[in-house]
Amino acid sequence: MEDYRKSTEEQIIESYKRDEEMMILVFAQWCVNNKLDPHALYLQAYPQQEGNAALNHALSLTVPGEEAGFISDDTVLGVLSLYSNDDLAYAVTEAIAERRPPQGTED
């Protein structure tokens, strides 16, 4: 029984790690699609984590924006919130706000 529980725990941990990697990849590809620097945005949220290996790996898997599928702002924010990645979600929200024209200035 102990081996079964340990195996189940290991499977859960591996699943979480894969999902977390997918979250980082979605963030990285969203940045590429929106011509934002994922490293700069990540450092804005986590200044103590320069050179994050998971982000570097995710960036190696991204494709040019014109080849990528569309990732909406809501999608990237939703994925970040699933992992309680509030600091990065805040940085993304600020980037979205800077990209959009202020209310009332549209023609």
XYZ file of all heavy atoms in Angstrom:
846
model
N 0.830 -1.208 0.000
C 0.000 0.000 0.000
C 0.867 1.260 0.000
O 0.536 2.228 -0.652
C -0.925 -0.059 1.231
C -1.973 0.992 1.206
S -3.134 0.660 -0.125
C -4.443 1.685 0.335
N 1.973 1.213 0.731
C 2.882 2.361 0.803
C 3.455 2.680 -0.579
O 3.555 3.847 -0.953
C 4.011 2.074 1.802
C 4.992 3.208 1.978
C 4.392 4.449 2.641
O 3.425 4.334 3.397
O 4.912 5.543 2.370
N 3.821 1.642 -1.351
C 4.354 1.856 -2.701
C 3.317 2.493 -3.609
O 3.633 3.365 -4.420
C 4.828 0.534 -3.315
C 6.132 0.041 -2.704
O 6.836 0.864 -2.082
O 6.431 -1.154 -2.844
N 2.056 2.071 -3.473
C 0.981 2.628 -4.287
C 0.797 4.111 -3.978
O 0.669 4.929 -4.878
C -0.325 1.862 -4.047
C -1.506 2.483 -4.756
C -1.664 2.313 -6.130
C -2.430 3.252 -4.066
C -2.732 2.889 -6.801
C -3.504 3.834 -4.730
C -3.648 3.648 -6.085
O -4.691 4.227 -6.748
N 0.789 4.445 -2.676
C 0.610 5.846 -2.280
C 1.771 6.700 -2.766
O 1.570 7.782 -3.289
C 0.455 5.949 -0.758
C -0.042 7.319 -0.358
C -0.441 7.399 1.081
N 0.719 7.869 1.798
C 1.055 7.514 3.022
N 0.328 6.664 3.688
N 2.127 7.999 3.593
N 2.986 6.179 -2.639
C 4.158 6.924 -3.097
C 4.108 7.118 -4.613
O 4.386 8.200 -5.109
C 5.432 6.188 -2.695
C 6.695 6.943 -3.031
C 7.899 6.229 -2.465
C 9.153 6.863 -2.953
N 9.810 7.706 -2.028
N 3.705 6.090 -5.345
C 3.591 6.189 -6.796
C 2.525 7.211 -7.192
O 2.731 8.012 -8.112
C 3.234 4.821 -7.376
O 2.983 4.925 -8.748
N 1.404 7.201 -6.502
C 0.330 8.161 -6.773
C 0.804 9.580 -6.506
O 0.551 10.488 -7.300
C -0.914 7.835 -5.923
O -1.336 6.501 -6.225
C -2.042 8.803 -6.198
N 1.502 9.780 -5.403
C 2.023 11.113 -5.074
C 3.004 11.581 -6.141
O 2.965 12.741 -6.558
C 2.705 11.097 -3.705
C 1.749 10.988 -2.546
C 2.444 10.806 -1.213
O 3.700 10.780 -1.168
O 1.735 10.680 -0.207
N 3.866 10.682 -6.600
C 4.831 11.044 -7.637
C 4.122 11.408 -8.944
O 4.524 12.345 -9.631
C 5.819 9.898 -7.864
C 6.799 9.727 -6.724
C 7.665 8.482 -6.857
O 7.460 7.697 -7.810
O 8.535 8.295 -5.991
N 3.054 10.683 -9.286
C 2.293 10.985 -10.496
C 1.622 12.350 -10.385
O 1.592 13.115 -11.361
C 1.244 9.912 -10.749
C 1.837 8.604 -11.223
C 0.781 7.514 -11.387
O -0.380 7.691 -11.062
N 1.209 6.370 -11.895
N 1.097 12.657 -9.222
C 0.460 13.961 -9.008
C 1.484 15.077 -9.145
O 1.234 16.089 -9.801
C -0.249 14.004 -7.637
C -1.461 13.076 -7.656
C -0.658 15.428 -7.269
C -2.076 12.836 -6.289
N 2.648 14.893 -8.562
C 3.710 15.900 -8.631
C 4.156 16.091 -10.077
O 4.301 17.222 -10.552
C 4.892 15.517 -7.719
C 4.470 15.648 -6.245
C 6.119 16.370 -8.016
C 5.452 15.030 -5.259
N 4.337 15.013 -10.811
C 4.757 15.106 -12.213
C 3.687 15.801 -13.059
O 4.002 16.616 -13.923
C 5.078 13.721 -12.784
C 6.415 13.188 -12.343
C 7.563 14.133 -12.668
O 7.674 14.583 -13.828
O 8.359 14.426 -11.757
N 2.440 15.494 -12.793
C 1.346 16.131 -13.522
C 1.334 17.637 -13.256
O 1.163 18.442 -14.172
C 0.010 15.510 -13.116
O -1.059 16.178 -13.739
N 1.518 18.011 -11.999
C 1.550 19.434 -11.639
C 2.707 20.131 -12.344
O 2.544 21.222 -12.880
C 1.667 19.595 -10.123
C 1.652 21.040 -9.684
C 0.447 21.710 -9.489
C 2.835 21.750 -9.491
C 0.419 23.046 -9.100
C 2.816 23.084 -9.108
C 1.609 23.719 -8.907
O 1.589 25.032 -8.543
N 3.881 19.493 -12.359
C 5.047 20.089 -13.021
C 4.790 20.281 -14.518
O 5.144 21.319 -15.081
C 6.291 19.218 -12.816
C 6.875 19.319 -11.430
C 8.109 18.439 -11.320
C 8.701 18.489 -9.941
N 9.848 17.570 -9.820
N 4.178 19.293 -15.173
C 3.865 19.418 -16.606
C 2.883 20.556 -16.835
O 3.037 21.346 -17.767
C 3.297 18.110 -17.155
C 4.323 17.072 -17.516
C 3.710 15.946 -18.322
N 2.526 15.366 -17.706
C 2.520 14.396 -16.798
N 3.664 13.889 -16.383
N 1.393 13.935 -16.305
N 1.870 20.637 -15.987
C 0.878 21.707 -16.126
C 1.507 23.072 -15.872
O 1.190 24.044 -16.548
C -0.295 21.476 -15.174
C -1.138 20.274 -15.565
O -0.966 19.743 -16.677
O -1.965 19.855 -14.731
N 2.404 23.130 -14.898
C 3.093 24.390 -14.606
C 3.964 24.799 -15.796
O 4.005 25.974 -16.168
C 3.939 24.246 -13.343
C 4.546 25.544 -12.870
C 5.307 25.391 -11.580
O 6.008 24.374 -11.408
O 5.210 26.295 -10.743
N 4.618 23.834 -16.422
C 5.416 24.119 -17.613
C 4.528 24.639 -18.736
O 4.913 25.539 -19.482
C 6.171 22.863 -18.061
C 7.312 22.491 -17.143
C 7.935 21.141 -17.466
O 7.446 20.446 -18.389
O 8.896 20.766 -16.783
N 3.320 24.089 -18.850
C 2.386 24.556 -19.876
C 1.964 25.995 -19.582
O 1.863 26.816 -20.490
C 1.159 23.632 -19.937
C 0.196 24.011 -21.041
S 0.920 24.034 -22.705
C 1.296 22.333 -22.953
N 1.741 26.317 -18.307
C 1.384 27.684 -17.920
C 2.493 28.651 -18.343
O 2.218 29.695 -18.925
C 1.175 27.795 -16.407
C 0.909 29.217 -15.961
S 1.619 29.803 -14.401
C 3.104 28.950 -14.119
N 3.734 28.279 -18.095
C 4.867 29.137 -18.450
C 4.968 29.273 -19.963
O 5.240 30.352 -20.490
C 6.169 28.598 -17.823
C 6.074 28.639 -16.293
C 7.379 29.391 -18.303
C 7.163 27.862 -15.576
N 4.716 28.184 -20.673
C 4.762 28.231 -22.137
C 3.661 29.139 -22.688
O 3.910 29.931 -23.604
C 4.638 26.827 -22.725
C 4.663 26.735 -24.248
C 5.924 27.359 -24.834
C 4.529 25.283 -24.687
N 2.463 29.057 -22.127
C 1.372 29.941 -22.568
C 1.772 31.398 -22.340
O 1.602 32.249 -23.217
C 0.049 29.601 -21.841
C -1.003 30.682 -22.057
C -0.479 28.247 -22.295
N 2.330 31.694 -21.169
C 2.789 33.049 -20.871
C 3.850 33.496 -21.878
O 3.767 34.584 -22.450
C 3.345 33.121 -19.442
C 4.193 34.331 -19.191
C 3.613 35.586 -19.038
C 5.579 34.234 -19.117
C 4.398 36.720 -18.830
C 6.363 35.351 -18.899
C 5.775 36.596 -18.757
N 4.844 32.644 -22.101
C 5.945 32.999 -23.003
C 5.437 33.231 -24.424
O 5.822 34.212 -25.075
C 7.018 31.906 -22.980
N 4.562 32.343 -24.909
C 4.045 32.505 -26.273
C 3.161 33.734 -26.373
O 3.206 34.456 -27.369
C 3.282 31.253 -26.723
C 2.902 31.283 -28.186
C 4.118 31.286 -29.100
O 4.932 30.376 -29.075
N 4.258 32.330 -29.919
N 2.374 34.021 -25.345
C 1.550 35.236 -25.335
C 2.448 36.465 -25.448
O 2.147 37.394 -26.196
C 0.700 35.284 -24.060
C -0.121 36.524 -23.940
C -1.361 36.748 -24.474
C 0.247 37.727 -23.240
N -1.778 38.025 -24.149
C -0.815 38.642 -23.401
C 1.362 38.117 -22.504
C -0.789 39.918 -22.846
C 1.390 39.379 -21.956
C 0.318 40.269 -22.132
N 3.566 36.461 -24.709
C 4.515 37.581 -24.786
C 5.057 37.729 -26.201
O 5.090 38.838 -26.747
C 5.671 37.386 -23.807
S 5.232 37.626 -22.072
N 5.485 36.621 -26.802
C 6.016 36.658 -28.170
C 4.950 37.195 -29.117
O 5.224 38.070 -29.941
C 6.493 35.248 -28.606
C 6.788 35.204 -30.098
C 7.721 34.828 -27.805
N 3.729 36.696 -28.986
C 2.636 37.122 -29.867
C 2.359 38.615 -29.752
O 1.930 39.248 -30.714
C 1.356 36.355 -29.557
C 1.435 34.891 -29.910
O 2.437 34.403 -30.421
N 0.375 34.157 -29.619
N 2.570 39.169 -28.556
C 2.265 40.577 -28.303
C 3.511 41.465 -28.321
O 3.460 42.617 -27.887
C 1.519 40.713 -26.972
C 0.111 40.201 -27.083
O -0.760 40.890 -27.606
N -0.129 38.975 -26.628
N 4.629 40.893 -28.820
C 5.886 41.630 -28.949
C 6.334 42.238 -27.610
O 6.784 43.380 -27.541
C 5.772 42.698 -30.034
C 5.530 42.109 -31.410
C 5.326 43.176 -32.457
C 5.134 42.637 -33.837
N 4.116 41.650 -34.051
N 6.193 41.433 -26.556
C 6.642 41.822 -25.222
C 7.828 40.947 -24.837
O 7.923 39.797 -25.265
C 5.511 41.630 -24.201
C 4.268 42.499 -24.411
C 3.132 42.009 -23.529
C 4.591 43.958 -24.120
N 8.703 41.473 -24.016
C 9.864 40.724 -23.549
C 9.450 39.892 -22.335
O 9.201 40.445 -21.263
C 10.985 41.699 -23.174
C 12.226 40.996 -22.672
O 12.200 39.769 -22.431
O 13.244 41.689 -22.499
N 9.368 38.559 -22.489
C 8.924 37.729 -21.376
C 9.853 37.806 -20.166
O 9.394 37.764 -19.031
C 8.880 36.317 -21.942
C 9.429 36.388 -23.301
C 9.626 37.804 -23.689
N 11.166 37.950 -20.420
C 12.109 38.057 -19.302
C 11.845 39.329 -18.499
O 11.814 39.299 -17.270
C 13.562 38.047 -19.797
C 14.026 36.717 -20.268
N 14.245 35.657 -19.422
C 14.307 36.270 -21.520
C 14.645 34.619 -20.118
N 14.682 34.955 -21.393
N 11.661 40.443 -19.195
C 11.435 41.719 -18.512
C 10.133 41.678 -17.714
O 10.081 42.137 -16.573
C 11.404 42.860 -19.521
N 9.095 41.127 -18.309
C 7.809 41.046 -17.624
C 7.902 40.117 -16.414
O 7.374 40.420 -15.338
C 6.748 40.536 -18.606
C 5.318 40.966 -18.404
C 5.180 42.471 -18.237
C 4.452 40.503 -19.564
N 8.596 39.005 -16.581
C 8.774 38.058 -15.472
C 9.574 38.699 -14.335
O 9.226 38.559 -13.169
C 9.471 36.786 -15.974
C 9.433 35.672 -14.968
C 8.333 34.815 -14.909
C 10.472 35.470 -14.073
C 8.287 33.789 -13.971
C 10.428 34.457 -13.145
C 9.331 33.620 -13.098
O 9.280 32.611 -12.160
N 10.632 39.427 -14.701
C 11.449 40.087 -13.672
C 10.694 41.205 -12.972
O 10.955 41.503 -11.810
C 12.747 40.627 -14.275
C 13.821 39.590 -14.525
C 15.011 40.220 -15.241
C 14.266 38.929 -13.235
N 9.756 41.818 -13.677
C 8.914 42.831 -13.049
C 8.116 42.190 -11.908
O 7.945 42.790 -10.851
C 7.976 43.412 -14.103
C 7.129 44.564 -13.636
C 6.258 45.091 -14.776
O 6.606 44.984 -15.947
N 5.128 45.646 -14.425
N 7.639 40.963 -12.121
C 6.870 40.248 -11.101
C 7.764 39.594 -10.055
O 7.432 39.576 -8.877
C 5.994 39.189 -11.772
N 8.895 39.064 -10.500
C 9.791 38.303 -9.611
C 11.236 38.756 -9.799
O 12.034 38.064 -10.419
C 9.679 36.803 -9.910
C 8.278 36.286 -9.773
C 7.539 35.915 -10.894
C 7.672 36.185 -8.521
C 6.237 35.453 -10.767
C 6.379 35.722 -8.390
C 5.670 35.358 -9.514
O 4.385 34.900 -9.395
N 11.583 39.924 -9.252
C 12.929 40.465 -9.470
C 14.048 39.562 -8.932
O 15.166 39.619 -9.418
C 12.912 41.809 -8.752
C 11.635 41.891 -8.015
C 10.742 40.799 -8.466
N 13.742 38.719 -7.989
C 14.756 37.853 -7.395
C 15.007 36.583 -8.207
O 15.869 35.794 -7.868
C 14.368 37.496 -5.952
C 13.200 36.535 -5.811
C 11.813 37.116 -6.039
O 11.665 38.268 -6.429
N 10.782 36.329 -5.809
N 14.253 36.378 -9.309
C 14.369 35.135 -10.070
C 14.943 35.358 -11.472
O 14.466 34.793 -12.446
C 13.003 34.449 -10.172
C 12.506 33.909 -8.862
C 11.236 33.102 -9.045
O 10.966 32.556 -10.101
N 10.452 33.029 -7.991
N 15.987 36.138 -11.562
C 16.616 36.377 -12.860
C 17.185 35.065 -13.397
O 17.731 34.263 -12.655
C 17.719 37.418 -12.723
C 18.255 37.877 -14.052
C 19.081 39.144 -13.939
O 19.093 39.763 -12.877
O 19.707 39.494 -14.938
N 17.039 34.857 -14.692
C 17.575 33.645 -15.314
C 16.761 32.404 -14.987
O 17.311 31.312 -14.885
N 15.442 32.533 -14.850
C 14.570 31.421 -14.508
C 14.679 30.319 -15.566
O 14.410 30.547 -16.749
C 13.129 31.929 -14.391
C 12.170 30.848 -13.993
O 11.824 29.997 -14.803
N 11.753 30.878 -12.740
N 15.085 29.127 -15.144
C 15.317 28.015 -16.068
C 14.033 27.572 -16.769
O 14.047 27.259 -17.960
C 15.940 26.841 -15.322
N 12.910 27.548 -16.047
C 11.647 27.116 -16.653
C 11.212 28.085 -17.749
O 10.724 27.673 -18.803
C 10.567 26.990 -15.580
N 11.407 29.384 -17.513
C 11.062 30.378 -18.533
C 11.991 30.249 -19.736
O 11.541 30.301 -20.882
C 11.121 31.797 -17.957
C 10.808 32.930 -18.933
C 9.426 32.766 -19.556
C 10.919 34.275 -18.224
N 13.268 30.058 -19.489
C 14.216 29.873 -20.600
C 13.840 28.657 -21.438
O 13.888 28.702 -22.675
C 15.644 29.744 -20.071
C 16.181 31.058 -19.549
O 15.746 32.130 -19.961
N 17.115 30.986 -18.629
N 13.454 27.570 -20.770
C 13.048 26.363 -21.499
C 11.787 26.639 -22.315
O 11.699 26.257 -23.489
C 12.807 25.205 -20.529
C 12.323 23.969 -21.207
N 13.115 23.213 -22.045
C 11.112 23.367 -21.190
C 12.414 22.204 -22.513
N 11.191 22.270 -22.010
N 10.810 27.311 -21.703
C 9.565 27.630 -22.417
C 9.853 28.488 -23.643
O 9.267 28.271 -24.710
C 8.577 28.330 -21.481
N 10.744 29.451 -23.508
C 11.079 30.318 -24.643
C 11.702 29.531 -25.785
O 11.503 29.869 -26.953
C 11.994 31.450 -24.206
C 11.279 32.561 -23.442
C 12.286 33.519 -22.821
C 10.325 33.299 -24.353
N 12.429 28.470 -25.452
C 13.025 27.652 -26.513
C 11.951 26.891 -27.291
O 12.201 26.409 -28.392
C 14.051 26.674 -25.928
O 13.407 25.614 -25.236
N 10.737 26.791 -26.730
C 9.642 26.073 -27.381
C 8.660 26.990 -28.106
O 7.775 26.508 -28.802
C 8.869 25.253 -26.330
C 9.678 24.210 -25.573
C 8.821 23.583 -24.482
C 10.227 23.147 -26.507
N 8.818 28.304 -27.945
C 7.892 29.223 -28.606
C 8.184 29.298 -30.099
O 9.266 28.934 -30.559
C 7.978 30.646 -28.007
O 9.293 31.155 -28.181
C 7.580 30.664 -26.532
N 7.198 29.776 -30.829
C 7.351 29.983 -32.270
C 7.117 31.463 -32.552
O 6.539 32.176 -31.726
C 6.368 29.106 -33.077
C 6.662 27.633 -32.875
C 4.924 29.424 -32.735
N 7.555 31.961 -33.712
C 7.288 33.360 -34.046
C 5.789 33.655 -33.974
O 4.962 32.786 -34.285
C 7.821 33.504 -35.466
C 8.856 32.425 -35.592
C 8.342 31.287 -34.747
N 5.450 34.871 -33.588
C 4.062 35.261 -33.408
C 3.178 34.971 -34.601
O 2.031 34.553 -34.449
N 3.709 35.162 -35.820
C 2.891 34.933 -37.010
C 2.609 33.448 -37.247
O 1.705 33.093 -37.995
C 3.511 35.574 -38.253
C 4.935 35.195 -38.554
C 5.982 36.005 -37.784
O 5.615 36.922 -37.032
O 7.175 35.697 -37.944
N 3.380 32.563 -36.611
C 3.156 31.121 -36.755
C 2.322 30.553 -35.612
O 1.832 29.431 -35.698
C 4.498 30.378 -36.783
C 5.353 30.684 -37.991
C 6.695 29.984 -37.933
O 6.806 28.937 -37.254
O 7.643 30.483 -38.563
N 2.173 31.313 -34.559
C 1.495 30.823 -33.356
C -0.009 31.002 -33.458
O -0.502 31.855 -34.186
C 2.003 31.582 -32.136
N -0.717 30.201 -32.707
C -2.153 30.399 -32.571
C -2.407 31.588 -31.662
O -1.551 31.978 -30.861
N -3.580 32.166 -31.790
C -3.956 33.314 -30.976
C -4.126 32.888 -29.523
O -4.722 31.848 -29.231
C -5.266 33.909 -31.505
C -5.798 35.029 -30.660
C -5.183 36.270 -30.669
C -6.898 34.838 -29.842
C -5.669 37.312 -29.894
C -7.393 35.867 -29.058
C -6.776 37.110 -29.082
N -3.568 33.677 -28.613
C -3.765 33.480 -27.176
C -4.349 34.780 -26.652
O -3.696 35.824 -26.705
C -2.440 33.157 -26.448
C -1.818 31.880 -27.006
C -2.683 33.029 -24.939
C -0.423 31.585 -26.492
N -5.579 34.718 -26.183
C -6.236 35.935 -25.709
C -5.656 36.378 -24.366
O -5.052 35.581 -23.631
C -7.743 35.714 -25.569
O -8.015 34.900 -24.445
N -5.864 37.645 -24.068
C -5.438 38.177 -22.770
C -6.115 37.400 -21.642
O -5.485 37.060 -20.638
C -5.790 39.661 -22.656
C -5.083 40.515 -23.707
O -4.087 40.054 -24.297
O -5.534 41.653 -23.921
N -7.405 37.117 -21.822
C -8.148 36.378 -20.793
C -7.578 34.980 -20.579
O -7.555 34.481 -19.458
C -9.632 36.275 -21.169
C -10.353 37.606 -21.030
O -9.847 38.506 -20.323
O -11.427 37.749 -21.635
N -7.127 34.353 -21.656
C -6.555 33.008 -21.536
C -5.287 33.035 -20.704
O -5.131 32.232 -19.779
C -6.269 32.407 -22.926
O -7.495 32.272 -23.635
C -5.586 31.052 -22.817
N -4.364 33.933 -21.015
C -3.111 33.960 -20.257
C -3.387 34.330 -18.798
O -2.811 33.738 -17.884
C -2.050 34.881 -20.907
C -2.353 36.351 -20.729
C -0.666 34.565 -20.367
N -4.293 35.263 -18.554
C -4.619 35.627 -17.173
C -5.301 34.470 -16.441
O -5.028 34.226 -15.261
C -5.497 36.877 -17.142
C -4.786 38.168 -17.542
C -5.788 39.302 -17.699
C -3.698 38.532 -16.537
N -6.160 33.728 -17.146
C -6.825 32.576 -16.546
C -5.843 31.483 -16.169
O -5.927 30.904 -15.087
N -4.899 31.205 -17.057
C -3.897 30.176 -16.785
C -3.020 30.591 -15.595
O -2.721 29.781 -14.724
C -3.040 29.906 -18.048
C -1.831 29.066 -17.738
C -3.888 29.250 -19.119
N -2.634 31.856 -15.564
C -1.819 32.327 -14.437
C -2.589 32.235 -13.125
O -2.032 31.859 -12.093
C -1.340 33.759 -14.685
C -0.354 33.937 -15.828
C -0.088 35.412 -16.076
C 0.945 33.196 -15.556
N -3.872 32.543 -13.161
C -4.658 32.501 -11.928
C -4.880 31.074 -11.446
O -5.001 30.834 -10.247
C -5.984 33.240 -12.092
O -6.865 32.506 -12.897
N -4.926 30.105 -12.367
C -5.055 28.702 -11.965
C -3.923 28.278 -11.044
O -4.091 27.413 -10.191
C -5.050 27.782 -13.187
C -6.342 27.657 -13.963
C -6.111 26.827 -15.220
C -7.431 27.043 -13.111
N -2.769 28.883 -11.232
C -1.592 28.544 -10.427
C -1.290 29.605 -9.375
O -0.183 29.650 -8.848
C -0.381 28.308 -11.341
C -0.511 26.982 -12.010
C -1.245 26.847 -13.179
C 0.029 25.844 -11.439
C -1.417 25.617 -13.782
C -0.138 24.603 -12.029
C -0.870 24.504 -13.194
O -1.049 23.270 -13.772
N -2.279 30.443 -9.102
C -2.125 31.516 -8.102
C -0.873 32.345 -8.362
O -0.173 32.745 -7.441
C -2.103 30.934 -6.683
O -3.299 30.244 -6.425
N -0.595 32.570 -9.635
C 0.580 33.329 -10.035
C 0.182 34.803 -10.133
O 0.223 35.423 -11.196
C 1.104 32.789 -11.373
C 2.560 33.057 -11.560
O 3.072 34.058 -11.072
N 3.227 32.182 -12.280
N -0.238 35.346 -8.987
C -0.826 36.679 -8.937
C 0.143 37.788 -9.321
O -0.255 38.752 -9.978
C -1.403 36.951 -7.546
C -2.493 35.955 -7.171
O -3.170 35.436 -8.088
O -2.665 35.695 -5.968
N 1.400 37.676 -8.917
C 2.374 38.722 -9.229
C 2.595 38.836 -10.735
O 2.650 39.935 -11.289
C 3.704 38.469 -8.513
C 3.584 38.594 -7.001
O 2.650 39.279 -6.530
O 4.411 38.000 -6.296
N 2.703 37.693 -11.395
C 2.898 37.713 -12.851
C 1.611 38.165 -13.548
O 1.669 38.912 -14.524
C 3.346 36.342 -13.347
C 3.821 36.272 -14.793
C 4.898 37.311 -15.089
C 4.327 34.874 -15.117
N 0.461 37.749 -13.031
C -0.814 38.192 -13.605
C -0.938 39.708 -13.502
O -1.433 40.365 -14.424
C -1.982 37.503 -12.905
N -0.469 40.284 -12.407
C -0.506 41.738 -12.240
C 0.381 42.414 -13.290
O -0.015 43.392 -13.918
C -0.065 42.119 -10.827
C -0.131 43.602 -10.563
C -1.346 44.219 -10.310
C 1.025 44.381 -10.595
C -1.416 45.592 -10.089
C 0.966 45.748 -10.375
C -0.258 46.345 -10.121
O -0.321 47.693 -9.910
N 1.591 41.870 -13.500
C 2.504 42.433 -14.498
C 1.893 42.322 -15.899
O 1.996 43.252 -16.705
C 3.858 41.724 -14.440
N 1.238 41.204 -16.185
C 0.579 41.017 -17.487
C -0.564 42.023 -17.637
O -0.726 42.639 -18.695
C 0.074 39.562 -17.637
C -0.899 39.426 -18.803
C 1.254 38.614 -17.818
N -1.347 42.199 -16.583
C -2.453 43.160 -16.615
C -1.944 44.568 -16.900
O -2.555 45.312 -17.683
C -3.232 43.125 -15.283
O -3.743 41.799 -15.092
C -4.385 44.105 -15.278
N -0.830 44.940 -16.290
C -0.237 46.262 -16.560
C 0.205 46.375 -18.023
O 0.007 47.409 -18.654
C 0.953 46.516 -15.633
C 0.545 46.837 -14.214
C 1.731 47.269 -13.362
O 2.878 46.830 -13.630
O 1.508 48.063 -12.446
N 0.798 45.321 -18.551
C 1.238 45.329 -19.955
C 0.039 45.460 -20.889
O 0.106 46.174 -21.897
C 2.030 44.060 -20.271
N -1.055 44.795 -20.557
C -2.274 44.893 -21.364
C -2.797 46.334 -21.333
O -3.165 46.895 -22.363
C -3.347 43.911 -20.854
C -2.910 42.464 -21.133
C -4.703 44.197 -21.494
C -3.742 41.413 -20.404
N -2.807 46.934 -20.153
C -3.305 48.307 -20.002
C -2.449 49.294 -20.786
O -2.981 50.237 -21.387
C -3.340 48.691 -18.528
N -1.140 49.089 -20.820
C -0.245 49.976 -21.566
C -0.429 49.824 -23.063
O -0.224 50.761 -23.819
C 1.211 49.686 -21.188
C 1.564 50.127 -19.800
C 2.969 49.704 -19.373
O 3.736 49.226 -20.238
O 3.268 49.839 -18.184
N -0.837 48.647 -23.491
C -1.009 48.359 -24.917
C -2.289 48.982 -25.458
O -2.359 49.358 -26.610
C -1.042 46.846 -25.098
C -1.095 46.371 -26.514
C -1.180 44.874 -26.599
N -2.498 44.466 -26.099
C -2.757 43.282 -25.554
N -1.812 42.396 -25.402
N -3.967 42.980 -25.144
N -3.306 49.093 -24.627
C -4.608 49.608 -25.050
C -4.662 51.121 -24.893
O -4.128 51.672 -23.936
C -5.716 48.992 -24.200
C -5.870 47.521 -24.443
C -7.052 46.992 -23.698
N -7.210 45.568 -23.951
C -7.728 44.725 -23.091
N -8.165 45.142 -21.923
N -7.835 43.453 -23.389
N -5.358 51.804 -25.813
C -5.513 53.254 -25.644
C -6.422 53.532 -24.450
O -7.319 52.753 -24.161
C -6.163 53.706 -26.953
C -6.771 52.473 -27.537
C -5.979 51.314 -27.021
N -6.198 54.655 -23.751
C -7.053 55.001 -22.619
C -8.508 55.153 -23.051
O -8.800 55.507 -24.192
C -6.497 56.347 -22.131
C -5.125 56.427 -22.710
C -5.137 55.601 -23.964
N -9.432 54.903 -22.131
C -10.869 55.028 -22.404
C -11.193 56.427 -22.884
O -10.662 57.404 -22.362
C -11.671 54.713 -21.145
C -11.600 53.274 -20.706
C -12.348 52.342 -21.632
O -13.266 52.745 -22.320
N -11.948 51.085 -21.665
N -12.048 56.542 -23.870
C -12.501 57.845 -24.348
C -11.603 58.491 -25.380
O -11.894 59.575 -25.855
N -10.477 57.838 -25.754
C -9.579 58.444 -26.737
C -9.681 57.762 -28.099
O -8.996 58.125 -29.020
C -8.115 58.383 -26.275
O -7.746 57.008 -26.101
C -7.913 59.147 -24.995
N -10.560 56.743 -28.177
C -10.690 56.019 -29.444
C -11.548 56.834 -30.400
O -12.445 57.543 -29.996
C -11.338 54.665 -29.193
C -10.491 53.781 -28.286
C -11.220 52.520 -27.875
O -12.159 52.106 -28.580
O -10.856 51.947 -26.844
N -11.246 56.742 -31.685
C -12.028 57.475 -32.701
C -13.344 56.795 -32.983
O -13.498 55.663 -33.005
C -11.232 57.607 -33.996
C -10.031 58.522 -33.787
O -10.171 59.502 -33.027
O -8.988 58.256 -34.383
